[in-house]
Amino acid sequence: MNQSFIVTISVNWYNITESKHMNLFLIPTVLLTSVTLLVNPVLSLCILCFPTLRQETRYLLLANMLFADMLFLAINLTMVSCNSVGLHMPHSLCEFMMVSMVMTYSTSVLTITLMVVDTYVAVRWPLHYKEILPPSRARKIIMSLWVMAAVCPVSLLVMFEVVMGSDKQSRPVCLMLIALHSLEQKKIGVHLYFIIAISLCTVLIVYCYIHLYIITKTSGIWRSRYSRARMTLLAHTLLLVMYFVPALVFAVELALLKEASVDVVGVWINLVNMCVLMLLPRCCTPYLYILRYHEIYETVQQVFWKKRPQSQRSAAQNWT
């Protein structure tokens, strides 16, 4: 196993995308990325520049997720654009983009998981919430999330360098899937890492939501079919599924990719995942939080229409 293996798969991959006109997937990538980047910077600045939002743990976590999403979108758009035209990217630049892409995606998933935990703590211990998760502790946790998210891609990069050797040839396609597949050929179960990580986050989220329901079921907030609690749970569940499914699809792709053969269906699934599935939750997130959270909506109004915020709700009130 050497670099020629990766070059062979990359050439085959690019030939399929050219012959089947799959480079048109660049269009939804550009559209979804543009729609998201129109709102994310504004929402992030509103959170960071207004003390009423900056002092809330849940909004610091949201700002961190928006920042990670913006980095991911920029890297993903660059990678998809270069792959669609067959640009031979320098080996070191390709590695940097792959590591950054996995790190930012992992940060988003870890942050949205922690946001569920934050909501659980706020509802479970409302009187001690400020002591358990003050903004200062939240900032330290956010820094820890970035370190945790960087461990996996950096370790994979080290393994990739050891396995592949020093022969670094340029290739027309830069994809994390192809690079990790070369490790899979060495019997390194990389796909298991993604499945286990997503499974652990899912178990933690399900645990928190079940206990939230048990804690709040006697309060009557679930009786109405269109109650705020039901709508919040539905919206967040849909968002969580949209964030987690692409990672599972990627793990399945990695497990099913065989030897140096590349088929049209495999390329199509990968492009749908990269160009649509991974972008949809990032496109929906800023609009969801603007519509569902009064403080954010009123702060955006203040920025654009000079209206003062009128209410300040706790994390528990935002749930109920």
Side-chain angles (χ1 to χ4, degrees):
M1 181 77 61
N2 50 39
Q3 280 287 334
S4 61
F5 169 81
I6 297 180
V7 174
T8 301
I9 285 193
S10 299
V11 171
N12 293 340
W13 195 285
Y14 177 70
N15 290 337
I16 290 176
T17 58
E18 277 289 292
S19 62
K20 301 299 182 180
H21 304 289
M22 292 185 183
N23 48 10
L24 293 177
F25 274 102
L26 181 61
I27 296 174
T29 305
V30 171
L31 290 176
L32 290 172
T33 301
S34 301
V35 169
T36 309
L37 292 181
L38 282 175
V39 183
N40 270 24
V42 176
L43 195 54
S44 299
L45 288 174
C46 286
I47 294 173
L48 297 177
C49 294
F50 284 79
T52 54
L53 298 182
R54 193 172 63 243
Q55 296 303 316
E56 294 286 341
T57 298
R58 62 188 185 277
Y59 294 134
L60 287 176
L61 293 172
L62 175 59
N64 182 63
M65 187 171 70
L66 294 175
F67 177 68
D69 285 350
M70 285 189 287
L71 290 180
F72 176 86
L73 290 170
I75 296 167
N76 184 70
L77 179 61
T78 303
M79 189 175 290
V80 172
S81 301
C82 293
N83 291 343
S84 65
V85 298
L87 180 65
H88 284 254
M89 195 180 299
H91 180 79
S92 57
L93 178 59
C94 178
E95 287 185 340
F96 172 77
M97 292 181 67
M98 289 190 296
V99 168
S100 301
M101 194 170 180
V102 175
M103 182 177 69
T104 51
Y105 190 97
S106 301
T107 300
S108 296
V109 170
L110 290 173
T111 303
I112 199 170
T113 302
L114 190 58
M115 290 171 71
V116 176
V117 176
D118 173 70
T119 302
Y120 170 74
V121 173
V123 176
R124 180 67 179 84
W125 298 285
L127 299 179
H128 302 286
Y129 171 71
K130 292 290 185 180
E131 300 174 4
I132 298 173
L133 285 174
S136 58
R137 184 169 296 167
R139 295 186 187 96
K140 296 176 182 178
I141 293 174
I142 288 171
M143 293 176 61
S144 301
L145 288 182
W146 281 95
V147 173
M148 289 174 59
V151 169
C152 171
V154 171
S155 60
L156 290 175
L157 176 62
V158 172
M159 285 190 290
F160 180 74
E161 289 293 324
V162 171
V163 170
M164 291 292 105
S166 58
D167 184 19
K168 297 178 174 58
Q169 302 178 37
S170 62
R171 48 193 184 271
V173 174
C174 176
L175 281 176
M176 194 68 180
L177 179 66
I178 296 176
L180 294 182
H181 176 55
S182 64
L183 295 179
E184 287 283 307
Q185 294 297 301
K186 290 292 185 179
K187 308 301 180 183
I188 301 174
V190 179
H191 67 281
L192 294 176
Y193 164 81
F194 294 99
I195 294 175
I196 292 172
I198 292 297
S199 299
L200 289 175
C201 291
T202 302
V203 169
L204 179 58
I205 289 170
V206 171
Y207 172 85
C208 289
Y209 275 143
I210 290 175
H211 278 257
L212 280 172
Y213 176 74
I214 293 172
I215 294 168
T216 58
K217 67 178 180 179
T218 58
S219 64
I221 64 173
W222 301 99
R223 292 174 184 171
S224 172
R225 179 177 297 182
Y226 302 104
S227 66
R228 182 179 180 84
R230 285 184 182 272
M231 293 298 101
T232 300
L233 178 61
L234 177 62
H236 285 185
T237 301
L238 179 62
L239 194 62
L240 287 166
V241 170
M242 292 170 67
Y243 265 98
F244 281 40
V245 165
L248 291 176
V249 172
F250 180 83
V252 172
E253 285 182 83
L254 190 56
L256 295 180
L257 191 59
K258 303 296 183 182
E259 299 300 331
S261 61
V262 179
D263 57 9
V264 176
V265 176
V267 175
W268 186 84
I269 292 174
N270 179 261
L271 287 174
V272 169
N273 198 29
M274 283 188 66
C275 302
V276 180
L277 296 182
M278 288 186 177
L279 307 188
L280 278 177
R282 290 161 175 81
C283 182
C284 297
T285 295
Y287 299 98
L288 171 66
Y289 281 95
I290 287 175
L291 294 174
R292 292 298 298 169
Y293 288 87
H294 295 290
E295 294 94 334
I296 293 179
Y297 178 73
E298 291 171 356
T299 303
V300 172
Q301 280 189 318
Q302 182 181 4
V303 170
F304 288 100
W305 295 286
K306 307 300 181 182
K307 293 183 179 180
R308 291 187 176 183
Q310 298 176 352
S311 64
Q312 182 71 20
R313 295 168 62 90
S314 67
Q317 287 174 319
N318 274 313
W319 168 257
T320 57

